[in-house]
């Protein structure tokens, strides 16, 4: 009876290059292909030590190498997704910071508006009031409230620059 070490050595000699090719075609990285190679032949040797009879070693080795290589690819894909999530979180944080800076600037500019424009702008844009309630609160018509907001928006946009829209 042949020893498991001899069977494994023979398998590496006959199928080693094939296993590397299979692995490399999937992972496209020499170091990772070498990891797949090692894992594949370690599993083959372990199966031989356990006394398993591998009727078609070439097919068995290719299947194990393929599975191991795809496992590495899935791991890489997950890492890439986490990196993309981290990038998205950073981008969201940057957008939030920009939004806060913009809102601070809008509040500063609104504070400089004439009183009626400031009140209409604040009630409409910061509090979300409808024009009918704003008009009732300020004792003016809805059209007058709309006109005050329009003038306020026009002044704020002019101060923020042409790049800013809504």
């Amino acid at each position: 009876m042949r020893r498991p070490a001899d069977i494994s050595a023979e398998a590496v000699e006959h199928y080693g290059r094939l296993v590397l090719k299979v692995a490399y075609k999937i992972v496209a990285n020499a170091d990772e292909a070498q990891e797949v190679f090692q894992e594949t032949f370690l599993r083959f040797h372990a199966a031989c030590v356990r006394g398993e009879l591998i009727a078609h070693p070439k097919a068995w080795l290719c299947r194990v190498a393929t599975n191991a290589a795809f496992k590495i690819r899935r791991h890489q894909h997950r890492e890439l997704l986490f990196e993309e999530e981290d990038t998205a979180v950073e981008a969201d944080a940057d957008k939030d910071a920009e939004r806060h800076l913009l809102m601070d600037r809008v509040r500063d500019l609104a504070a400089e508006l004439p009183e009626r424009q400031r009140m209409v702008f604040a009630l409409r844009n910061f509090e979300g009031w409808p024009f009918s309630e704003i008009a009732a609160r300020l004792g003016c018509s809805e059209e007058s409230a709309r006109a005050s907001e329009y003038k306020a928006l026009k002044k704020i946009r002019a101060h923020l620059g042409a790049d800013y829209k809504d």
Side-chain angles (χ1 to χ4, degrees):
M1 185 167 174
R2 294 175 41 198
R3 297 179 345 178
D6 294 336
I7 296 169
S8 296
E10 189 177 299
V12 169
E13 184 179 324
H14 289 331
Y15 306 115
R17 290 182 56 135
L18 176 65
V19 168
L20 270 175
K21 283 181 183 179
V22 166
Y24 189 80
K25 284 186 182 269
I26 296 169
V27 294
N29 177 299
D31 292 334
E32 290 168 346
Q34 189 63 39
E35 284 181 40
V36 169
F37 175 90
Q38 290 175 359
E39 180 180 342
T40 300
F41 283 104
L42 282 173
R43 290 179 69 188
F44 183 83
H45 181 71
C48 291
V49 168
R50 287 190 305 268
E52 292 180 23
L53 178 61
I54 299 173
H56 302 284
K58 179 179 178 182
W60 191 97
L61 290 166
C62 287
R63 174 55 42 205
V64 170
T66 300
N67 291 340
F70 277 121
K71 182 178 178 183
I72 288 174
R73 285 272 309 268
R74 281 190 303 273
H75 189 280
Q76 289 170 340
H77 183 69
R78 285 188 197 114
E79 285 178 353
L80 182 61
L81 289 176
F82 286 125
E83 287 174 13
E84 289 173 359
E85 281 181 15
D86 291 345
T87 303
V89 167
E90 290 171 10
D92 287 345
D94 290 344
K95 287 179 184 176
D96 286 344
E98 288 177 26
R99 196 174 302 120
H100 286 298
L101 289 173
L102 178 62
M103 288 305 295
D104 289 344
R105 181 73 177 126
V106 168
R107 285 186 180 93
D108 291 344
L109 291 170
E112 298 172 9
L113 294 169
E115 185 177 353
R116 177 171 282 189
Q117 290 176 12
R118 181 177 61 245
M119 291 294 294
V120 171
F121 182 81
L123 291 172
R124 179 74 178 158
N125 295 285
F126 297 138
E127 302 294 326
W129 286 26
F131 284 113
S132 59
E133 291 181 24
I134 295 171
R137 166 97 187 254
L138 298 178
C140 66
S141 68
E142 281 188 48
E143 291 77 24
S144 178
R146 288 179 193 278
S148 293
E149 187 200 27
Y150 174 78
K151 290 175 187 174
L153 284 171
K154 190 174 178 180
K155 289 177 184 176
I156 289 173
R157 286 180 181 149
H159 283 287
L160 290 176
D163 294 337
Y164 180 72
K165 291 183 174 71
D166 294 330

